[in-house]
Amino acid sequence: MTRLVRGADGRMWTVRGELEWGRKPATAEDFEHDVSGGHGPGIVMALLVILLGLIWVVRMPADVVVPAWVVLALLMIFLFFPARWALRRPWKLVAETGDGTPEAPVEKWVGTVRGMFNVRSEVAKVARDIQRDTMPSFDGPLHPVE
């Protein structure tokens, strides 16, 4: 997700969002999302659910008819948490300007936004701030980097 924006002073800014796959150190706002000790507990729970589901299917009597909506409901419940995890991954937002020439000052602003849908709105908000004020707002998730 990359967007080119012309600031009010005429400089061209590149605003982009990058999906963060690696683990970063926990901060105060990420505490509730970073309590587990890694991927181990999630893998163990997934294997346990799959094992219990297989046992349930194998031990079911032959004359029991399971409605399709029950299977669909169980599948939706099982897929809820992986889908939530994928949609709530952190994204790194970067707004930078400068083409390397001495007369064009180089600026770089970096921040983190959690969630795929929040990233789109933040990129649009940063682009509006740059067009109006020549730089991203200090009230948003972006902060200047030296």
Side-chain angles (χ1 to χ4, degrees), residues 6-74:
R6 182 174 301 279
D9 60 354
R11 293 187 295 168
M12 288 302 293
W13 287 76
T14 303
V15 181
R16 69 179 185 273
E18 302 168 353
L19 183 62
E20 290 284 320
W21 285 107
R23 268 174 86 85
K24 61 184 176 105
T27 60
E29 63 189 31
D30 291 335
F31 176 73
E32 67 184 56
H33 302 288
D34 198 20
V35 241
S36 70
H39 301 297
I43 292 170
V44 169
M45 288 303 292
L47 290 175
L48 185 63
V49 168
I50 290 170
L51 178 69
L52 290 174
L54 288 174
I55 291 172
W56 179 57
V57 169
V58 169
R59 294 201 31 111
M60 186 180 302
D63 57 343
V64 173
V65 177
V66 178
W69 65 268
V70 171
V71 175
L72 183 63
L74 289 174

Side-chain angles (χ1 to χ4, degrees), residues 73-96:
L74 289 174
L75 185 64
M76 288 179 64
I77 290 170
F78 182 70
L79 292 177
F80 171 76
F81 289 106
R84 182 179 181 271
W85 175 83
L87 292 175
R88 296 285 302 156
R89 295 296 303 160
W91 287 66
K92 180 170 78 171
L93 286 182
V94 178
E96 56 189 350

Side-chain angles (χ1 to χ4, degrees), residues 59-136:
R59 294 201 31 111
M60 186 180 302
D63 57 343
V64 173
V65 177
V66 178
W69 65 268
V70 171
V71 175
L72 183 63
L74 289 174
L75 185 64
M76 288 179 64
I77 290 170
F78 182 70
L79 292 177
F80 171 76
F81 289 106
R84 182 179 181 271
W85 175 83
L87 292 175
R88 296 285 302 156
R89 295 296 303 160
W91 287 66
K92 180 170 78 171
L93 286 182
V94 178
E96 56 189 350
T97 186
D99 55 2
T101 59
E103 61 270 357
V106 176
E107 286 188 55
K108 185 173 185 177
W109 294 56
V110 179
T112 303
V113 176
R114 184 171 287 279
M116 181 188 315
F117 301 113
N118 294 338
V119 163
R120 288 184 179 199
S121 64
E122 282 299 327
V123 166
K125 196 181 305 179
V126 168
R128 277 193 312 271
D129 288 342
I130 289 172
Q131 288 173 344
R132 186 182 61 232
D133 302 329
T134 71
M135 68 173 51

